[in-house]
Amino acid sequence: MHVDFERILIVDRDEGAMRLVDAVREFNQENGTSIRTIALHAESDRHAMFVREADEAFALDTAAAAGAGVRSGTVSRLHPGLERVLRESGADAAWVGWGLGAPDVEVAELCERLGVVFVGAGSRLIRRVGDRIAARRFAAEAGFPVTAWSGGPVESYEEALAAARSE
């Protein structure tokens, strides 16, 4: 099987990161590939299982990581450090997991700018579905079933009640 990358940076932690490490290991076994996993971690996580089990590990700058990202699940304030690690690690793909970093359009754009495969929705889709109302309209237009709703924002309790009763 052909894949478009060989080195994937894991921009998540704990269970999500460990699941990806395991999934890549299994994928490699089943497909004869040799994708390498690279754990991005805060200094406080240097002994965590996902860091030990990944093929490689890169620590984020302590100042950048302190309470700002890898620890809390958001990556938007880590962009300078993330860009450095993407370059230094030789990663040609990045996976941000399914937490708060997953819909970070700036990370997707950073990857796109660097020519790194962003594993997940691209920046255009993240922007489109980041707005809950636009996302619901997009899903309905694409033919996906959506729950009953007002069709747009409501300005008052009375409007919300009327919309709820009309369904």
Side-chain angles (χ1 to χ4, degrees):
M1 168 174 260
H2 173 76
V3 291
D4 292 330
F5 54 86
E6 297 176 359
R7 299 172 55 76
I8 186 167
L9 181 69
I10 303 168
V11 189
D12 198 354
R13 60 190 301 274
D14 296 334
E15 181 185 355
M18 199 58 234
R19 283 184 182 217
L20 185 69
V21 168
D22 288 340
V24 169
R25 201 175 279 151
E26 185 176 320
F27 183 87
N28 284 339
Q29 260 185 336
E30 291 176 1
N31 295 286
T33 54
S34 56
I35 299 169
R36 296 190 51 86
T37 55
I38 307 165
L40 176 66
H41 66 90
E43 183 58 30
S44 60
D45 284 334
R46 71 182 175 281
H47 299 297
M49 182 180 291
F50 75 95
V51 176
R52 294 190 321 261
E53 292 294 319
D55 297 311
E56 301 174 36
F58 274 78
L60 237 110
D61 298 333
T62 306
V70 175
R71 201 75 174 121
S72 65
T74 63
V75 293
S76 60
R77 289 184 277 172
L78 300 177
H79 294 170
L82 180 56
E83 183 169 351
R84 175 190 60 80
V85 171
L86 280 166
R87 291 180 188 279
E88 289 179 9
S89 69
D92 49 4
W95 179 76
V96 296
W98 54 73
L100 294 174
D104 190 326
V105 70
E106 292 176 16
V107 173
E109 288 172 342
L110 171 64
C111 289
E112 291 164 4
R113 184 171 51 80
L114 296 176
V116 171
V117 174
F118 182 76
V119 180
S123 62
R124 286 181 49 215
L125 182 59
I126 293 170
R127 281 195 192 288
R128 188 153 190 195
V129 299
D131 174 337
R132 300 282 188 224
I133 292 172
R136 183 176 288 270
R137 286 183 179 140
F138 177 57
E141 289 168 10
F144 289 97
V146 294
T147 57
W149 68 304
S150 66
V154 294
E155 301 298 325
S156 67
Y157 171 79
E158 290 76 22
E159 278 185 64
L161 190 58
R165 287 186 174 147
S166 70
E167 295 300 326

